[in-house]
Amino acid sequence: DPFYIYNELSLFFELYQICTIYFYFSFPFVFITDCTSCSILIQGLLLSAAKCKDPVIFLEPKILYRSAVEDVPDEPYTIPLGKAEILRTGSDVTVVGWGGQLRVLEKACQLAFDQFGIECELIDLRTLLPWDTETVIESVNKTGKLVVSHEAPITCGFGAEVVSRVQEECFLSLEAP
């Protein structure tokens, strides 16, 4: 069935594109951003990338191209590279994500609150290289727990970097390994 083969190839290339970002982490002096579905954020990060004197790799998950439509300001504005955003404040667990996975995490955080009363602090990293360790560490020290979710292979995914750094910096604050 040609339609089935097209869908399978489309999914393969979408996942393959996600995996290729890890190749760029070995390059020095490169900023890597991974955008969410928010048009305002995408435009602000793109303008920041254009003004940056260092090379910037700007990633856009293809699945999000038509998933959000919103007006953006006419005036140019920038959003700082390397600074995470706390999308939802909470006190029970820190949830970290980036890119297309944030839509899933927003729903999961709401579901955790509705069904179990768990207040999740949701953090969008925005920039993967460099990533905002201070915001994540501050949140984990507050909550004592961390969940990292991303669209990547289990082995060598960027989530391992986040978990490793948190383990180093917040070991005595974590309530469990």
Side-chain angles (χ1 to χ4, degrees), residues 64-156:
L64 299 178
Y65 279 169
R66 292 181 185 88
S67 62
V69 177
E70 57 190 356
D71 292 330
V72 294
D74 291 332
E75 297 298 318
Y77 61 95
T78 59
I79 294 175
L81 298 172
K83 183 69 180 143
E85 178 183 17
I86 298 174
L87 300 176
R88 179 185 184 123
T89 58
S91 58
D92 295 325
V93 61
T94 300
V95 179
V96 175
W98 55 90
Q101 195 66 8
L102 283 170
R103 296 183 135 224
V104 174
L105 292 177
E106 287 172 338
K107 292 176 185 175
C109 289
Q110 187 61 46
L111 188 66
F113 182 74
D114 292 344
Q115 292 188 358
F116 305 105
I118 298 172
E119 295 181 1
C120 301
E121 182 149 293
L122 179 59
I123 299 176
D124 175 7
L125 288 184
R126 292 183 181 173
T127 306
L128 301 182
L129 189 62
W131 64 282
D132 188 357
T133 57
E134 291 177 12
T135 299
V136 174
I137 288 169
E138 185 178 309
S139 177
V140 171
N141 282 330
K142 178 176 75 171
T143 65
K145 298 176 197 76
L146 172 68
V147 173
V148 179
S149 179
H150 58 97
E151 299 173 319
I154 295 172
T155 305
C156 299

Side-chain angles (χ1 to χ4, degrees), residues 137 161-172 174:
I137 288 169
E161 169 70 23
V162 175
V163 170
S164 174
R165 180 64 65 90
V166 168
Q167 183 72 15
E168 286 176 5
E169 301 290 331
C170 304
F171 183 75
L172 297 176
L174 291 170

Side-chain angles (χ1 to χ4, degrees), residues 40-55:
I40 295 171
L41 177 64
I42 290 171
Q43 182 176 341
L45 284 173
L46 189 57
L47 291 172
S48 294
K51 291 182 179 182
C52 185
K53 294 185 188 316
D54 293 319

